Amino acid sequence: MAKRTTKKVNSTELDSKEFFAAIAQIEAEKGIKKGYMLEKITQALISAYRRDHEGVGDNLTVEADEQAGVVRMFLRKDVVEEVDNPGMEISLEEARASLPRAELGDVVRLEVKPKNFGRIAAQTARQVIIQGIREAEQGMIFEEFTSKEHEILTGTVTRIDPRNGAVALRIGSGSENTDAYLGTNEQVKGETYREGQRLKVYVVEVRRAAKGPQVLISRTHPGLVKRLFELEVPEIYDGTVEVRSIAREAGSRTKLAVWSADPNVDPIGACVGPRGSRVNSIVDELKGEKMDIIKYSDDPAEYIAAALSPADVISVEPLEEGKSCRVVVPDDQLSLAIGKEGQNARLAAKLTGFKIDIKPASAPPEPPAPAEEEPEEGPEDLAEGAPEEEAAAEEEPAPEASGEEAAPREAR
């Protein structure tokens, strides 16, 4: 039966102190675990050896003992009479030069000295280790920022592209930092930015990309308003007050529908705060964006009337065409209900999900749809009656011409 023997050699360990000190430094600075780094270094050593030696297969092993401070690399070879694959086989004569008791069929372990690697093999090992560190960093960043999706993060403006106005920010979460880009379509119209400015942004999504995790951020997303209210209003943060719906036109106006199951809590008053302190801080953060806070209601008519605030509403009439309604307002409130360029009505429709048709009180009421009347006589009766009428008309004699009418004819 084949037996396993090991070649006795002098100590050929790597510089263990520097090796393990470097791994410990990487863990301290980048947070990459030692086990992960040892795995990547093992892969790097094996890839480097295979670069210079073909046909090795899976016979390479690397043993790292942190307590003993030893890292060794071994190659297993079968002892044969005639060597066909030098990468996996060794002749009996060569094996006995190192192990006098070696026999045919034995498996010997030969220690490989990494310091004898060629230049290309060493570069391969270096690239594998660097790539492993990069992948670990990207994985940690992705996991960290994925947990921050739909949250607010504060970033520092590092650069403003003079061509299109895109803003580069350095954002951080916990111990991880990465670069994110605020495109022009995600910027609030009218806002200006400067390098070094600290800016609150909403994390829309985190994606994997070839160059690392891609963090999509926004200043126009309605979620930014919701998170700002959570930061300023403790009742929203602890769930006493719920934000049911948000409709926003960034930089101009936002409508917010809030509700509370506690009858002792005024949801609108909680959001406004003492003397408007809570809502004013949010307006300041959004550079003067107006806030309409309304109370949510399960009654669509009441909810729609509140959504058209600050305009007064006389009545709300639901229509048959899906989720649509007709709203009647006082004549002097029509322009207020519609808003500038239709903004108030547009935001109310987005907030409630209803199509809203606004009419002034002086407008004539919509005429009811005419009801279809059934004919008194069926088609058969009409068909039978028509010939009788025609026959009666034929039987009626034509009136005789009077003498007064005949005289002119003779004169002609």
Side-chain angles (χ1 to χ4, degrees):
M1 180 177 179
K3 59 182 179 179
R4 185 181 299 274
T5 57
T6 303
K7 176 183 176 182
K8 296 181 180 180
V9 295
N10 296 328
S11 177
T12 57
E13 307 89 34
L14 297 174
D15 191 339
S16 58
K17 292 183 179 180
E18 294 183 1
F19 177 79
F20 288 104
I23 293 179
Q25 183 178 1
I26 291 173
E27 183 179 25
E29 293 181 355
K30 301 182 179 296
I32 303 174
K33 302 298 182 182
K34 290 182 180 179
Y36 177 86
M37 286 305 305
L38 286 174
E39 180 184 351
K40 292 300 177 182
I41 290 170
T42 297
Q43 294 177 1
L45 293 173
I46 293 175
S47 298
Y49 187 83
R50 285 175 177 170
R51 180 88 184 186
D52 291 341
H53 304 81
E54 296 181 357
V56 174
D58 297 329
N59 287 1
L60 275 173
T61 58
V62 177
E63 298 178 358
D65 188 347
E66 184 178 359
Q67 294 181 350
V70 175
V71 178
R72 287 181 174 179
M73 185 174 180
F74 295 96
L75 175 62
R76 298 191 309 272
K77 288 190 176 184
D78 297 329
V79 180
V80 296
E81 290 185 0
E82 185 177 351
V83 177
D84 294 328
N85 182 0
M88 301 179 66
E89 298 173 344
I90 187 173
S91 65
L92 180 61
E93 181 181 357
E94 186 179 356
R96 285 182 173 176
S98 301
L99 297 169
R101 292 183 297 176
E103 299 292 342
L104 290 174
D106 288 351
V107 177
V108 297
R109 287 205 316 166
L110 305 176
E111 187 169 0
V112 179
K113 302 177 181 180
K115 66 180 182 180
N116 295 333
F117 285 178
R119 179 179 61 85
I120 296 178
Q123 288 180 349
T124 301
R126 179 175 178 271
Q127 290 173 357
V128 171
I129 293 173
I130 292 174
Q131 181 64 24
I133 294 174
R134 185 180 295 113
E135 290 176 357
E137 290 178 333
Q138 292 177 355
M140 293 169 63
I141 291 173
F142 180 81
E143 292 178 1
E144 180 67 29
F145 283 94
T146 298
S147 65
K148 299 299 180 182
E149 280 187 354
H150 313 306
E151 299 289 344
I152 288 179
L153 294 179
T154 301
T156 303
V157 178
T158 57
R159 183 176 179 273
I160 301 174
D161 194 331
R163 296 171 298 177
N164 55 18
V167 178
L169 293 95
R170 186 71 175 173
I171 58 176
S173 174
S175 60
E176 302 299 331
N177 292 279
T178 189
D179 291 322
Y181 293 90
L182 187 66
T184 53
N185 57 333
E186 298 296 338
Q187 297 177 16
V188 177
K189 186 178 180 180
E191 282 190 351
T192 56
Y193 311 102
R194 65 182 186 279
E195 292 185 6
Q197 176 185 356
R198 292 182 63 79
L199 198 64
K200 285 185 173 66
V201 293
Y202 181 78
V203 180
V204 179
E205 185 183 0
V206 181
R207 299 176 180 173
R208 292 189 183 273
K211 296 182 179 180
Q214 183 181 13
V215 183
L216 305 181
I217 58 176
S218 174
R219 286 275 295 175
T220 62
H221 199 282
L224 177 65
V225 177
K226 182 178 180 181
R227 295 306 182 193
L228 287 174
F229 270 96
E230 287 182 357
L231 293 175
E232 293 293 335
V233 183
E235 291 84 353
I236 293 180
Y237 183 79
D238 63 20
T240 305
V241 175
E242 298 179 20
V243 178
R244 289 299 183 90
S245 181
I246 296 178
R248 185 186 184 200
E249 291 188 359
S252 179
R253 196 184 198 98
T254 291
K255 285 185 179 289
L256 190 79
V258 295
W259 178 83
S260 177
D262 189 344
N264 298 320
V265 175
D266 177 14
I268 298 177
C271 294
V272 173
R275 298 181 181 180
S277 59
R278 293 175 178 176
V279 71
N280 286 339
S281 63
I282 296 172
V283 170
D284 293 341
E285 172 63 31
L286 298 177
K287 307 299 185 282
E289 185 172 320
K290 296 178 181 178
M291 293 285 158
D292 291 344
I293 305 173
I294 69 166
K295 187 176 181 180
Y296 174 82
S297 175
D298 290 329
D299 181 5
E302 184 179 348
Y303 186 28
I304 292 168
L308 287 170
S309 174
D312 297 328
V313 173
I314 296 176
S315 65
V316 178
E317 178 188 355
L319 301 178
E320 296 180 358
E321 300 88 19
K323 293 188 68 175
S324 60
C325 63
R326 181 178 296 113
V327 176
V328 178
V329 299
D331 292 3
D332 60 347
Q333 298 279 302
L334 180 61
S335 59
L336 188 62
I338 296 175
K340 184 179 179 181
E341 298 178 354
Q343 183 186 67
N344 193 58
R346 186 167 58 249
L347 287 175
K350 189 183 297 184
L351 185 74
T352 60
F354 276 78
K355 183 179 179 181
I356 302 174
D357 181 19
I358 302 176
K359 298 289 185 182
S362 61
E366 295 288 337
E372 296 182 359
E373 298 181 358
E374 296 183 358
E376 296 180 358
E377 298 180 350
E380 297 179 358
D381 297 335
L382 294 175
E384 293 176 358
E388 293 178 0
E389 293 176 358
E390 292 176 1
E394 292 175 359
E395 292 176 359
E396 184 178 350
E400 295 181 1
S402 61
E404 294 178 355
E405 293 178 348
R409 291 179 184 173
E410 292 176 358
R412 284 200 289 272

